[in-house]
Amino acid sequence: MNVLFVCSRNRLRSPTAENVFRDWPGIRVASAGLKPDAEERLTPDDLDWADLVLVMEKRHKSEISRRYMPHLRDVRIVVLGIPDDFDFMDPQLVDLLQRKVPPHLRGR
């Protein structure tokens, strides 16, 4: 399964998630951001690759749905509800991700 983590600028939350789940069995991970100045900006190819998109905030899901609808045919988008309050690899962020992400990866 291909899992894409998305946040605003792909500098803190989504790259942390990519690092945390890089070695999770049975999945491949990537991350991207929605803002023009994102480190890795979300592209239609990213969405075509992804089986599951995990976004940090509701507004990320709304923006993806609005901008990329033709590329979301078989893609499930899940909102994790993680605010932009953390540094890269912040232990609290890692803990939140480890609690919120695995239920979406099991049984696939």
Side-chain angles (χ1 to χ4, degrees):
M1 177 171 61
N2 297 331
V3 179
L4 179 64
F5 295 99
V6 177
C7 67
S8 297
R9 291 193 170 91
N10 189 233
R11 293 186 181 143
L12 306 173
R13 293 174 290 174
S14 59
T16 296
E18 183 179 5
N19 280 340
V20 169
F21 293 97
R22 177 172 282 132
D23 296 324
W24 187 275
I27 68 167
R28 288 178 296 267
V29 295
S31 65
L34 292 168
K35 298 281 185 177
D37 63 342
E39 292 294 317
E40 292 291 330
R41 192 161 180 208
L42 183 67
T43 68
D45 288 341
D46 294 328
L47 295 169
D48 291 339
W49 171 84
D51 299 305
L52 173 64
V53 178
L54 298 172
V55 300
M56 301 299 154
E57 301 174 42
K58 286 181 186 179
R59 65 186 172 95
H60 298 142
K61 181 177 180 177
S62 297
E63 188 169 342
I64 290 170
S65 296
R66 182 180 53 80
R67 287 174 38 189
Y68 299 101
M69 186 55 72
H71 300 276
L72 300 176
R73 288 179 300 275
D74 298 319
V75 179
R76 189 167 67 119
I77 302 175
V78 174
V79 178
L80 296 174
I82 298 176
D84 194 8
D85 296 337
F86 303 97
D87 291 326
F88 178 70
M89 294 305 290
D90 180 308
Q92 287 182 300
L93 174 56
V94 170
D95 180 61
L96 269 174
L97 290 164
Q98 288 174 333
R99 285 188 283 122
K100 291 184 175 228
V101 172
H104 303 289
L105 304 179
R106 294 191 180 112
R108 297 196 154 261

